[in-house]
Amino acid sequence: VDRAMSFLGVLPLLVVNSSAGFGVPCTPGLSLQWSSADSLTLLQGGYFANATTARYTRLPDAAKPVVRPAIWSLAQNSAGLAVAFSSNSSAIWVDYNLTSASLGMVHMPATGVSGVDLWALDPGTSTWRWTGTSAPSSTNVCQRLLQLAPAGTPGAVHPTKYLLYFPLYNGVTSMKIGVPYGASLTPIGPGGDCGLGLHKRPVVWYGSSITQGACASKPGDAYTNAVARGLGRPVVNFGFSGNCLYEPEVIQFLLEIDAAVYVVDCNPNSESHGYEYVHTRARALVQAMAATRPNATIVLASGTKEGPVWLEGTTTTHSNGTAALKQAYDELLEHKPPGITLKFVDADAIYAQPDPSPFWEMTVMGTHPSSLGMERFTAFWTPILRSVLEP
């Protein structure tokens, strides 16, 4: 099995009763004990917990009058958030409320935009693997995500550790997990975090729509979530679809988090503004970051190609943007403060491995990665970040 495939967990689990199906709705007579996600272990979020009115927002309240309205609106999407818990239940249900009735997009299904995604720790291999995804049809979603096979079923697996990933392009006002009466449901703590790295400093990722999760078919496939599983360390998702523009007004709040690595991945949204825009703004942003966090590790990432590039020739908006970012990096490297670690990553290599298949086969409409494309992002970024974190 390809190493990267295990990060996304695309192999089916022998966990779910094949006759159970997914998206099974709650019924009026359903008798379950419900626990709020607030009582469980929040992953890759909560860093502004004492400075937010909403529980599942990605920026503190103080950001609202500072950042552009588009940024603030996108920050209410729950991309990257997850809760971890333990349970001995034979079935797991979810009941949550969304902030927007726009459940899906023309190029991204409702399962990725507004769905939640349940993963389990395989007790035989200690790897996280997918078990079930909700299928939203309204702003209130109450569905069964998991039905284990009966005890004693040959070959069946019965996990007890779970991750529930939140929607990528919608917001959540409330989230409850339900199990039958008598079953346990408890948080996963740092003492037994199942390789999630709850005690570790996170990776903070400032990026575009691809970082936010477009166009994964389900939230757990989004590459920031998959990279976090691969690294065993939280990756905090600050993807702002169409709006990553090297803004100091945004980065100042991200720098409030004491991150092990800050990834700046704005070129997909910025390169259309021209060479000088990317060069000047990227350089100024890193200088501002170094002033605030003089011992930071910063990764500057170029974007991936998009569109029918085989028609476009060698000098394109994308190639110019990459060249501008590389020039900014070279200049920053020459004059960087001694405590700063700086790395440049050319993301064009993402679709050059692990095979030479045309990149549009791994994207939706030639731009945003599908879940297969997300696997390529994961396979590319995980070893790079591991080398930065563990030189």
Side-chain angles (χ1 to χ4, degrees), residues 30-35 85-94 162 176-186:
L30 188 65
S31 180
L32 298 171
Q33 55 183 358
W34 294 94
S35 297
F85 59 92
S86 299
S87 179
N88 62 2
S89 179
S90 60
I92 295 176
W93 299 72
V94 69
Y162 295 94
K176 296 186 296 182
I177 293 92
V179 295
Y181 281 97
S184 64
L185 183 67
T186 58

mmCIF file with all atom_site columns, all heavy atoms in Angstrom, residues 30-35 85-94 162 176-186:
data_model
loop_
_atom_site.group_PDB
_atom_site.id
_atom_site.type_symbol
_atom_site.label_atom_id
_atom_site.label_alt_id
_atom_site.label_comp_id
_atom_site.label_asym_id
_atom_site.label_entity_id
_atom_site.label_seq_id
_atom_site.pdbx_PDB_ins_code
_atom_site.Cartn_x
_atom_site.Cartn_y
_atom_site.Cartn_z
_atom_site.occupancy
_atom_site.B_iso_or_equiv
_atom_site.pdbx_formal_charge
_atom_site.auth_seq_id
_atom_site.auth_comp_id
_atom_site.auth_asym_id
_atom_site.auth_atom_id
_atom_site.pdbx_PDB_model_num
ATOM 1   N N   . LEU A 1 30  ? -35.897 7.925  18.606 1.00 0.00 ? 30  LEU A N   1
ATOM 2   C CA  . LEU A 1 30  ? -34.519 7.525  18.866 1.00 0.00 ? 30  LEU A CA  1
ATOM 3   C C   . LEU A 1 30  ? -34.125 7.850  20.306 1.00 0.00 ? 30  LEU A C   1
ATOM 4   O O   . LEU A 1 30  ? -34.302 8.974  20.776 1.00 0.00 ? 30  LEU A O   1
ATOM 5   C CB  . LEU A 1 30  ? -33.584 8.250  17.903 1.00 0.00 ? 30  LEU A CB  1
ATOM 6   C CG  . LEU A 1 30  ? -32.118 7.817  17.884 1.00 0.00 ? 30  LEU A CG  1
ATOM 7   C CD1 . LEU A 1 30  ? -31.988 6.380  17.389 1.00 0.00 ? 30  LEU A CD1 1
ATOM 8   C CD2 . LEU A 1 30  ? -31.315 8.755  16.995 1.00 0.00 ? 30  LEU A CD2 1
ATOM 9   N N   . SER A 1 31  ? -33.613 6.865  21.016 1.00 0.00 ? 31  SER A N   1
ATOM 10  C CA  . SER A 1 31  ? -33.239 7.045  22.419 1.00 0.00 ? 31  SER A CA  1
ATOM 11  C C   . SER A 1 31  ? -31.728 6.925  22.561 1.00 0.00 ? 31  SER A C   1
ATOM 12  O O   . SER A 1 31  ? -31.167 5.820  22.493 1.00 0.00 ? 31  SER A O   1
ATOM 13  C CB  . SER A 1 31  ? -33.943 5.995  23.285 1.00 0.00 ? 31  SER A CB  1
ATOM 14  O OG  . SER A 1 31  ? -33.600 6.162  24.647 1.00 0.00 ? 31  SER A OG  1
ATOM 15  N N   . LEU A 1 32  ? -31.087 8.077  22.715 1.00 0.00 ? 32  LEU A N   1
ATOM 16  C CA  . LEU A 1 32  ? -29.634 8.125  22.832 1.00 0.00 ? 32  LEU A CA  1
ATOM 17  C C   . LEU A 1 32  ? -29.235 9.060  23.948 1.00 0.00 ? 32  LEU A C   1
ATOM 18  O O   . LEU A 1 32  ? -30.008 9.944  24.359 1.00 0.00 ? 32  LEU A O   1
ATOM 19  C CB  . LEU A 1 32  ? -29.008 8.634  21.523 1.00 0.00 ? 32  LEU A CB  1
ATOM 20  C CG  . LEU A 1 32  ? -29.208 7.823  20.246 1.00 0.00 ? 32  LEU A CG  1
ATOM 21  C CD1 . LEU A 1 32  ? -28.707 8.608  19.055 1.00 0.00 ? 32  LEU A CD1 1
ATOM 22  C CD2 . LEU A 1 32  ? -28.506 6.474  20.337 1.00 0.00 ? 32  LEU A CD2 1
ATOM 23  N N   . GLN A 1 33  ? -28.019 8.900  24.461 1.00 0.00 ? 33  GLN A N   1
ATOM 24  C CA  . GLN A 1 33  ? -27.446 9.893  25.363 1.00 0.00 ? 33  GLN A CA  1
ATOM 25  C C   . GLN A 1 33  ? -26.512 10.770 24.537 1.00 0.00 ? 33  GLN A C   1
ATOM 26  O O   . GLN A 1 33  ? -25.674 10.281 23.794 1.00 0.00 ? 33  GLN A O   1
ATOM 27  C CB  . GLN A 1 33  ? -26.707 9.225  26.519 1.00 0.00 ? 33  GLN A CB  1
ATOM 28  C CG  . GLN A 1 33  ? -25.631 8.235  26.136 1.00 0.00 ? 33  GLN A CG  1
ATOM 29  C CD  . GLN A 1 33  ? -24.993 7.572  27.344 1.00 0.00 ? 33  GLN A CD  1
ATOM 30  O OE1 . GLN A 1 33  ? -25.336 7.879  28.493 1.00 0.00 ? 33  GLN A OE1 1
ATOM 31  N NE2 . GLN A 1 33  ? -24.071 6.648  27.105 1.00 0.00 ? 33  GLN A NE2 1
ATOM 32  N N   . TRP A 1 34  ? -26.712 12.085 24.645 1.00 0.00 ? 34  TRP A N   1
ATOM 33  C CA  . TRP A 1 34  ? -25.998 13.051 23.822 1.00 0.00 ? 34  TRP A CA  1
ATOM 34  C C   . TRP A 1 34  ? -24.985 13.822 24.648 1.00 0.00 ? 34  TRP A C   1
ATOM 35  O O   . TRP A 1 34  ? -25.250 14.184 25.794 1.00 0.00 ? 34  TRP A O   1
ATOM 36  C CB  . TRP A 1 34  ? -26.972 14.042 23.182 1.00 0.00 ? 34  TRP A CB  1
ATOM 37  C CG  . TRP A 1 34  ? -27.904 13.431 22.192 1.00 0.00 ? 34  TRP A CG  1
ATOM 38  C CD1 . TRP A 1 34  ? -29.170 12.968 22.432 1.00 0.00 ? 34  TRP A CD1 1
ATOM 39  C CD2 . TRP A 1 34  ? -27.646 13.190 20.808 1.00 0.00 ? 34  TRP A CD2 1
ATOM 40  N NE1 . TRP A 1 34  ? -29.721 12.464 21.291 1.00 0.00 ? 34  TRP A NE1 1
ATOM 41  C CE2 . TRP A 1 34  ? -28.807 12.594 20.265 1.00 0.00 ? 34  TRP A CE2 1
ATOM 42  C CE3 . TRP A 1 34  ? -26.563 13.432 19.973 1.00 0.00 ? 34  TRP A CE3 1
ATOM 43  C CZ2 . TRP A 1 34  ? -28.898 12.231 18.928 1.00 0.00 ? 34  TRP A CZ2 1
ATOM 44  C CZ3 . TRP A 1 34  ? -26.663 13.083 18.635 1.00 0.00 ? 34  TRP A CZ3 1
ATOM 45  C CH2 . TRP A 1 34  ? -27.816 12.486 18.123 1.00 0.00 ? 34  TRP A CH2 1
ATOM 46  N N   . SER A 1 35  ? -23.820 14.066 24.041 1.00 0.00 ? 35  SER A N   1
ATOM 47  C CA  . SER A 1 35  ? -22.777 14.878 24.674 1.00 0.00 ? 35  SER A CA  1
ATOM 48  C C   . SER A 1 35  ? -22.397 15.999 23.723 1.00 0.00 ? 35  SER A C   1
ATOM 49  O O   . SER A 1 35  ? -22.204 15.766 22.521 1.00 0.00 ? 35  SER A O   1
ATOM 50  C CB  . SER A 1 35  ? -21.535 14.041 24.990 1.00 0.00 ? 35  SER A CB  1
ATOM 51  O OG  . SER A 1 35  ? -21.817 13.027 25.927 1.00 0.00 ? 35  SER A OG  1
ATOM 52  N N   . PHE A 1 85  ? -12.395 11.774 20.821 1.00 0.00 ? 85  PHE A N   1
ATOM 53  C CA  . PHE A 1 85  ? -13.074 11.170 21.966 1.00 0.00 ? 85  PHE A CA  1
ATOM 54  C C   . PHE A 1 85  ? -12.874 9.662  21.966 1.00 0.00 ? 85  PHE A C   1
ATOM 55  O O   . PHE A 1 85  ? -12.487 9.061  20.954 1.00 0.00 ? 85  PHE A O   1
ATOM 56  C CB  . PHE A 1 85  ? -14.570 11.515 21.964 1.00 0.00 ? 85  PHE A CB  1
ATOM 57  C CG  . PHE A 1 85  ? -15.328 11.080 20.740 1.00 0.00 ? 85  PHE A CG  1
ATOM 58  C CD1 . PHE A 1 85  ? -15.975 9.847  20.690 1.00 0.00 ? 85  PHE A CD1 1
ATOM 59  C CD2 . PHE A 1 85  ? -15.427 11.910 19.627 1.00 0.00 ? 85  PHE A CD2 1
ATOM 60  C CE1 . PHE A 1 85  ? -16.685 9.444  19.566 1.00 0.00 ? 85  PHE A CE1 1
ATOM 61  C CE2 . PHE A 1 85  ? -16.139 11.526 18.501 1.00 0.00 ? 85  PHE A CE2 1
ATOM 62  C CZ  . PHE A 1 85  ? -16.768 10.291 18.470 1.00 0.00 ? 85  PHE A CZ  1
ATOM 63  N N   . SER A 1 86  ? -13.151 9.074  23.109 1.00 0.00 ? 86  SER A N   1
ATOM 64  C CA  . SER A 1 86  ? -13.140 7.620  23.272 1.00 0.00 ? 86  SER A CA  1
ATOM 65  C C   . SER A 1 86  ? -14.566 7.141  23.488 1.00 0.00 ? 86  SER A C   1
ATOM 66  O O   . SER A 1 86  ? -15.372 7.821  24.137 1.00 0.00 ? 86  SER A O   1
ATOM 67  C CB  . SER A 1 86  ? -12.286 7.216  24.481 1.00 0.00 ? 86  SER A CB  1
ATOM 68  O OG  . SER A 1 86  ? -10.951 7.619  24.333 1.00 0.00 ? 86  SER A OG  1
ATOM 69  N N   . SER A 1 87  ? -14.879 5.986  22.953 1.00 0.00 ? 87  SER A N   1
ATOM 70  C CA  . SER A 1 87  ? -16.202 5.409  23.166 1.00 0.00 ? 87  SER A CA  1
ATOM 71  C C   . SER A 1 87  ? -16.153 3.908  22.928 1.00 0.00 ? 87  SER A C   1
ATOM 72  O O   . SER A 1 87  ? -15.443 3.437  22.028 1.00 0.00 ? 87  SER A O   1
ATOM 73  C CB  . SER A 1 87  ? -17.231 6.044  22.221 1.00 0.00 ? 87  SER A CB  1
ATOM 74  O OG  . SER A 1 87  ? -18.510 5.463  22.432 1.00 0.00 ? 87  SER A OG  1
ATOM 75  N N   . ASN A 1 88  ? -16.924 3.179  23.742 1.00 0.00 ? 88  ASN A N   1
ATOM 76  C CA  . ASN A 1 88  ? -17.068 1.739  23.528 1.00 0.00 ? 88  ASN A CA  1
ATOM 77  C C   . ASN A 1 88  ? -18.388 1.419  22.840 1.00 0.00 ? 88  ASN A C   1
ATOM 78  O O   . ASN A 1 88  ? -18.838 0.283  22.833 1.00 0.00 ? 88  ASN A O   1
ATOM 79  C CB  . ASN A 1 88  ? -16.959 0.985  24.853 1.00 0.00 ? 88  ASN A CB  1
ATOM 80  C CG  . ASN A 1 88  ? -18.066 1.373  25.835 1.00 0.00 ? 88  ASN A CG  1
ATOM 81  O OD1 . ASN A 1 88  ? -18.943 2.186  25.514 1.00 0.00 ? 88  ASN A OD1 1
ATOM 82  N ND2 . ASN A 1 88  ? -18.041 0.790  27.028 1.00 0.00 ? 88  ASN A ND2 1
ATOM 83  N N   . SER A 1 89  ? -19.008 2.430  22.243 1.00 0.00 ? 89  SER A N   1
ATOM 84  C CA  . SER A 1 89  ? -20.322 2.274  21.640 1.00 0.00 ? 89  SER A CA  1
ATOM 85  C C   . SER A 1 89  ? -20.270 1.459  20.353 1.00 0.00 ? 89  SER A C   1
ATOM 86  O O   . SER A 1 89  ? -19.291 1.500  19.603 1.00 0.00 ? 89  SER A O   1
ATOM 87  C CB  . SER A 1 89  ? -20.929 3.649  21.353 1.00 0.00 ? 89  SER A CB  1
ATOM 88  O OG  . SER A 1 89  ? -22.197 3.507  20.750 1.00 0.00 ? 89  SER A OG  1
ATOM 89  N N   . SER A 1 90  ? -21.368 0.771  20.070 1.00 0.00 ? 90  SER A N   1
ATOM 90  C CA  . SER A 1 90  ? -21.497 0.042  18.817 1.00 0.00 ? 90  SER A CA  1
ATOM 91  C C   . SER A 1 90  ? -22.035 0.923  17.696 1.00 0.00 ? 90  SER A C   1
ATOM 92  O O   . SER A 1 90  ? -22.022 0.518  16.527 1.00 0.00 ? 90  SER A O   1
ATOM 93  C CB  . SER A 1 90  ? -22.433 -1.156 19.004 1.00 0.00 ? 90  SER A CB  1
ATOM 94  O OG  . SER A 1 90  ? -23.731 -0.706 19.413 1.00 0.00 ? 90  SER A OG  1
ATOM 95  N N   . ALA A 1 91  ? -22.518 2.128  18.051 1.00 0.00 ? 91  ALA A N   1
ATOM 96  C CA  . ALA A 1 91  ? -23.040 3.057  17.046 1.00 0.00 ? 91  ALA A CA  1
ATOM 97  C C   . ALA A 1 91  ? -22.753 4.482  17.498 1.00 0.00 ? 91  ALA A C   1
ATOM 98  O O   . ALA A 1 91  ? -22.740 4.773  18.699 1.00 0.00 ? 91  ALA A O   1
ATOM 99  C CB  . ALA A 1 91  ? -24.539 2.859  16.850 1.00 0.00 ? 91  ALA A CB  1
ATOM 100 N N   . ILE A 1 92  ? -22.514 5.355  16.535 1.00 0.00 ? 92  ILE A N   1
ATOM 101 C CA  . ILE A 1 92  ? -22.245 6.765  16.837 1.00 0.00 ? 92  ILE A CA  1
ATOM 102 C C   . ILE A 1 92  ? -23.110 7.626  15.924 1.00 0.00 ? 92  ILE A C   1
ATOM 103 O O   . ILE A 1 92  ? -23.162 7.420  14.710 1.00 0.00 ? 92  ILE A O   1
ATOM 104 C CB  . ILE A 1 92  ? -20.755 7.103  16.664 1.00 0.00 ? 92  ILE A CB  1
ATOM 105 C CG1 . ILE A 1 92  ? -19.920 6.340  17.695 1.00 0.00 ? 92  ILE A CG1 1
ATOM 106 C CG2 . ILE A 1 92  ? -20.512 8.605  16.779 1.00 0.00 ? 92  ILE A CG2 1
ATOM 107 C CD1 . ILE A 1 92  ? -18.425 6.510  17.555 1.00 0.00 ? 92  ILE A CD1 1
ATOM 108 N N   . TRP A 1 93  ? -23.786 8.573  16.559 1.00 0.00 ? 93  TRP A N   1
ATOM 109 C CA  . TRP A 1 93  ? -24.671 9.504  15.872 1.00 0.00 ? 93  TRP A CA  1
ATOM 110 C C   . TRP A 1 93  ? -24.151 10.923 16.052 1.00 0.00 ? 93  TRP A C   1
ATOM 111 O O   . TRP A 1 93  ? -23.365 11.194 16.959 1.00 0.00 ? 93  TRP A O   1
ATOM 112 C CB  . TRP A 1 93  ? -26.093 9.409  16.420 1.00 0.00 ? 93  TRP A CB  1
ATOM 113 C CG  . TRP A 1 93  ? -26.737 8.062  16.250 1.00 0.00 ? 93  TRP A CG  1
ATOM 114 C CD1 . TRP A 1 93  ? -26.431 6.914  16.934 1.00 0.00 ? 93  TRP A CD1 1
ATOM 115 C CD2 . TRP A 1 93  ? -27.787 7.723  15.342 1.00 0.00 ? 93  TRP A CD2 1
ATOM 116 N NE1 . TRP A 1 93  ? -27.222 5.882  16.507 1.00 0.00 ? 93  TRP A NE1 1
ATOM 117 C CE2 . TRP A 1 93  ? -28.075 6.354  15.536 1.00 0.00 ? 93  TRP A CE2 1
ATOM 118 C CE3 . TRP A 1 93  ? -28.515 8.437  14.399 1.00 0.00 ? 93  TRP A CE3 1
ATOM 119 C CZ2 . TRP A 1 93  ? -29.057 5.687  14.809 1.00 0.00 ? 93  TRP A CZ2 1
ATOM 120 C CZ3 . TRP A 1 93  ? -29.502 7.778  13.683 1.00 0.00 ? 93  TRP A CZ3 1
ATOM 121 C CH2 . TRP A 1 93  ? -29.760 6.412  13.882 1.00 0.00 ? 93  TRP A CH2 1
ATOM 122 N N   . VAL A 1 94  ? -24.588 11.820 15.210 1.00 0.00 ? 94  VAL A N   1
ATOM 123 C CA  . VAL A 1 94  ? -24.199 13.219 15.322 1.00 0.00 ? 94  VAL A CA  1
ATOM 124 C C   . VAL A 1 94  ? -25.427 14.090 15.083 1.00 0.00 ? 94  VAL A C   1
ATOM 125 O O   . VAL A 1 94  ? -26.313 13.743 14.295 1.00 0.00 ? 94  VAL A O   1
ATOM 126 C CB  . VAL A 1 94  ? -23.066 13.548 14.326 1.00 0.00 ? 94  VAL A CB  1
ATOM 127 C CG1 . VAL A 1 94  ? -23.562 13.503 12.885 1.00 0.00 ? 94  VAL A CG1 1
ATOM 128 C CG2 . VAL A 1 94  ? -22.442 14.892 14.616 1.00 0.00 ? 94  VAL A CG2 1
ATOM 129 N N   . TYR A 1 162 ? -11.766 7.967  18.458 1.00 0.00 ? 162 TYR A N   1
ATOM 130 C CA  . TYR A 1 162 ? -12.381 8.572  17.282 1.00 0.00 ? 162 TYR A CA  1
ATOM 131 C C   . TYR A 1 162 ? -11.975 10.032 17.104 1.00 0.00 ? 162 TYR A C   1
ATOM 132 O O   . TYR A 1 162 ? -11.666 10.730 18.079 1.00 0.00 ? 162 TYR A O   1
ATOM 133 C CB  . TYR A 1 162 ? -13.907 8.493  17.384 1.00 0.00 ? 162 TYR A CB  1
ATOM 134 C CG  . TYR A 1 162 ? -14.445 7.084  17.367 1.00 0.00 ? 162 TYR A CG  1
ATOM 135 C CD1 . TYR A 1 162 ? -14.700 6.398  18.559 1.00 0.00 ? 162 TYR A CD1 1
ATOM 136 C CD2 . TYR A 1 162 ? -14.693 6.430  16.155 1.00 0.00 ? 162 TYR A CD2 1
ATOM 137 C CE1 . TYR A 1 162 ? -15.185 5.091  18.542 1.00 0.00 ? 162 TYR A CE1 1
ATOM 138 C CE2 . TYR A 1 162 ? -15.174 5.123  16.136 1.00 0.00 ? 162 TYR A CE2 1
ATOM 139 C CZ  . TYR A 1 162 ? -15.419 4.461  17.322 1.00 0.00 ? 162 TYR A CZ  1
ATOM 140 O OH  . TYR A 1 162 ? -15.886 3.175  17.302 1.00 0.00 ? 162 TYR A OH  1
ATOM 141 N N   . LYS A 1 176 ? -23.360 17.880 18.689 1.00 0.00 ? 176 LYS A N   1
ATOM 142 C CA  . LYS A 1 176 ? -23.551 16.855 19.709 1.00 0.00 ? 176 LYS A CA  1
ATOM 143 C C   . LYS A 1 176 ? -23.244 15.483 19.116 1.00 0.00 ? 176 LYS A C   1
ATOM 144 O O   . LYS A 1 176 ? -23.514 15.224 17.945 1.00 0.00 ? 176 LYS A O   1
ATOM 145 C CB  . LYS A 1 176 ? -24.992 16.867 20.227 1.00 0.00 ? 176 LYS A CB  1
ATOM 146 C CG  . LYS A 1 176 ? -25.395 18.133 20.952 1.00 0.00 ? 176 LYS A CG  1
ATOM 147 C CD  . LYS A 1 176 ? -26.783 18.004 21.559 1.00 0.00 ? 176 LYS A CD  1
ATOM 148 C CE  . LYS A 1 176 ? -27.862 17.831 20.507 1.00 0.00 ? 176 LYS A CE  1
ATOM 149 N NZ  . LYS A 1 176 ? -29.213 17.761 21.112 1.00 0.00 ? 176 LYS A NZ  1
ATOM 150 N N   . ILE A 1 177 ? -22.684 14.607 19.958 1.00 0.00 ? 177 ILE A N   1
ATOM 151 C CA  . ILE A 1 177 ? -22.416 13.225 19.573 1.00 0.00 ? 177 ILE A CA  1
ATOM 152 C C   . ILE A 1 177 ? -23.297 12.340 20.434 1.00 0.00 ? 177 ILE A C   1
ATOM 153 O O   . ILE A 1 177 ? -23.375 12.524 21.658 1.00 0.00 ? 177 ILE A O   1
ATOM 154 C CB  . ILE A 1 177 ? -20.931 12.855 19.740 1.00 0.00 ? 177 ILE A CB  1
ATOM 155 C CG1 . ILE A 1 177 ? -20.075 13.628 18.735 1.00 0.00 ? 177 ILE A CG1 1
ATOM 156 C CG2 . ILE A 1 177 ? -20.706 11.364 19.526 1.00 0.00 ? 177 ILE A CG2 1
ATOM 157 C CD1 . ILE A 1 177 ? -19.544 14.922 19.228 1.00 0.00 ? 177 ILE A CD1 1
ATOM 158 N N   . GLY A 1 178 ? -23.979 11.395 19.801 1.00 0.00 ? 178 GLY A N   1
ATOM 159 C CA  . GLY A 1 178 ? -24.895 10.522 20.512 1.00 0.00 ? 178 GLY A CA  1
ATOM 160 C C   . GLY A 1 178 ? -24.471 9.071  20.460 1.00 0.00 ? 178 GLY A C   1
ATOM 161 O O   . GLY A 1 178 ? -23.990 8.580  19.431 1.00 0.00 ? 178 GLY A O   1
ATOM 162 N N   . VAL A 1 179 ? -24.665 8.383  21.601 1.00 0.00 ? 179 VAL A N   1
ATOM 163 C CA  . VAL A 1 179 ? -24.410 6.945  21.689 1.00 0.00 ? 179 VAL A CA  1
ATOM 164 C C   . VAL A 1 179 ? -25.555 6.317  22.475 1.00 0.00 ? 179 VAL A C   1
ATOM 165 O O   . VAL A 1 179 ? -26.255 7.005  23.236 1.00 0.00 ? 179 VAL A O   1
ATOM 166 C CB  . VAL A 1 179 ? -23.056 6.643  22.383 1.00 0.00 ? 179 VAL A CB  1
ATOM 167 C CG1 . VAL A 1 179 ? -21.886 7.170  21.561 1.00 0.00 ? 179 VAL A CG1 1
ATOM 168 C CG2 . VAL A 1 179 ? -23.020 7.226  23.793 1.00 0.00 ? 179 VAL A CG2 1
ATOM 169 N N   . PRO A 1 180 ? -25.791 5.031  22.321 1.00 0.00 ? 180 PRO A N   1
ATOM 170 C CA  . PRO A 1 180 ? -26.849 4.376  23.093 1.00 0.00 ? 180 PRO A CA  1
ATOM 171 C C   . PRO A 1 180 ? -26.592 4.479  24.600 1.00 0.00 ? 180 PRO A C   1
ATOM 172 O O   . PRO A 1 180 ? -25.440 4.577  25.043 1.00 0.00 ? 180 PRO A O   1
ATOM 173 C CB  . PRO A 1 180 ? -26.775 2.922  22.619 1.00 0.00 ? 180 PRO A CB  1
ATOM 174 C CG  . PRO A 1 180 ? -26.147 2.985  21.267 1.00 0.00 ? 180 PRO A CG  1
ATOM 175 C CD  . PRO A 1 180 ? -25.168 4.118  21.348 1.00 0.00 ? 180 PRO A CD  1
ATOM 176 N N   . TYR A 1 181 ? -27.665 4.467  25.351 1.00 0.00 ? 181 TYR A N   1
ATOM 177 C CA  . TYR A 1 181 ? -27.528 4.517  26.805 1.00 0.00 ? 181 TYR A CA  1
ATOM 178 C C   . TYR A 1 181 ? -26.691 3.341  27.302 1.00 0.00 ? 181 TYR A C   1
ATOM 179 O O   . TYR A 1 181 ? -26.830 2.215  26.828 1.00 0.00 ? 181 TYR A O   1
ATOM 180 C CB  . TYR A 1 181 ? -28.903 4.501  27.466 1.00 0.00 ? 181 TYR A CB  1
ATOM 181 C CG  . TYR A 1 181 ? -29.581 5.844  27.436 1.00 0.00 ? 181 TYR A CG  1
ATOM 182 C CD1 . TYR A 1 181 ? -30.513 6.146  26.444 1.00 0.00 ? 181 TYR A CD1 1
ATOM 183 C CD2 . TYR A 1 181 ? -29.249 6.830  28.371 1.00 0.00 ? 181 TYR A CD2 1
ATOM 184 C CE1 . TYR A 1 181 ? -31.125 7.392  26.393 1.00 0.00 ? 181 TYR A CE1 1
ATOM 185 C CE2 . TYR A 1 181 ? -29.850 8.083  28.328 1.00 0.00 ? 181 TYR A CE2 1
ATOM 186 C CZ  . TYR A 1 181 ? -30.783 8.354  27.338 1.00 0.00 ? 181 TYR A CZ  1
ATOM 187 O OH  . TYR A 1 181 ? -31.378 9.599  27.286 1.00 0.00 ? 181 TYR A OH  1
ATOM 188 N N   . GLY A 1 182 ? -25.804 3.647  28.241 1.00 0.00 ? 182 GLY A N   1
ATOM 189 C CA  . GLY A 1 182 ? -24.909 2.647  28.794 1.00 0.00 ? 182 GLY A CA  1
ATOM 190 C C   . GLY A 1 182 ? -23.537 2.642  28.160 1.00 0.00 ? 182 GLY A C   1
ATOM 191 O O   . GLY A 1 182 ? -22.582 2.125  28.752 1.00 0.00 ? 182 GLY A O   1
ATOM 192 N N   . ALA A 1 183 ? -23.414 3.224  26.969 1.00 0.00 ? 183 ALA A N   1
ATOM 193 C CA  . ALA A 1 183 ? -22.107 3.304  26.313 1.00 0.00 ? 183 ALA A CA  1
ATOM 194 C C   . ALA A 1 183 ? -21.335 4.508  26.847 1.00 0.00 ? 183 ALA A C   1
ATOM 195 O O   . ALA A 1 183 ? -21.924 5.502  27.280 1.00 0.00 ? 183 ALA A O   1
ATOM 196 C CB  . ALA A 1 183 ? -22.279 3.420  24.808 1.00 0.00 ? 183 ALA A CB  1
ATOM 197 N N   . SER A 1 184 ? -20.020 4.447  26.794 1.00 0.00 ? 184 SER A N   1
ATOM 198 C CA  . SER A 1 184 ? -19.179 5.535  27.291 1.00 0.00 ? 184 SER A CA  1
ATOM 199 C C   . SER A 1 184 ? -18.861 6.513  26.171 1.00 0.00 ? 184 SER A C   1
ATOM 200 O O   . SER A 1 184 ? -18.850 6.157  24.992 1.00 0.00 ? 184 SER A O   1
ATOM 201 C CB  . SER A 1 184 ? -17.882 4.980  27.879 1.00 0.00 ? 184 SER A CB  1
ATOM 202 O OG  . SER A 1 184 ? -17.110 4.333  26.869 1.00 0.00 ? 184 SER A OG  1
ATOM 203 N N   . LEU A 1 185 ? -18.588 7.764  26.549 1.00 0.00 ? 185 LEU A N   1
ATOM 204 C CA  . LEU A 1 185 ? -18.157 8.797  25.608 1.00 0.00 ? 185 LEU A CA  1
ATOM 205 C C   . LEU A 1 185 ? -17.363 9.821  26.398 1.00 0.00 ? 185 LEU A C   1
ATOM 206 O O   . LEU A 1 185 ? -17.927 10.591 27.176 1.00 0.00 ? 185 LEU A O   1
ATOM 207 C CB  . LEU A 1 185 ? -19.358 9.457  24.932 1.00 0.00 ? 185 LEU A CB  1
ATOM 208 C CG  . LEU A 1 185 ? -19.048 10.510 23.870 1.00 0.00 ? 185 LEU A CG  1
ATOM 209 C CD1 . LEU A 1 185 ? -18.394 9.874  22.648 1.00 0.00 ? 185 LEU A CD1 1
ATOM 210 C CD2 . LEU A 1 185 ? -20.313 11.248 23.443 1.00 0.00 ? 185 LEU A CD2 1
ATOM 211 N N   . THR A 1 186 ? -16.039 9.812  26.224 1.00 0.00 ? 186 THR A N   1
ATOM 212 C CA  . THR A 1 186 ? -15.166 10.654 27.040 1.00 0.00 ? 186 THR A CA  1
ATOM 213 C C   . THR A 1 186 ? -14.115 11.340 26.178 1.00 0.00 ? 186 THR A C   1
ATOM 214 O O   . THR A 1 186 ? -13.789 10.865 25.079 1.00 0.00 ? 186 THR A O   1
ATOM 215 C CB  . THR A 1 186 ? -14.452 9.810  28.119 1.00 0.00 ? 186 THR A CB  1
ATOM 216 O OG1 . THR A 1 186 ? -13.700 8.775  27.482 1.00 0.00 ? 186 THR A OG1 1
ATOM 217 C CG2 . THR A 1 186 ? -15.459 9.192  29.083 1.00 0.00 ? 186 THR A CG2 1
#
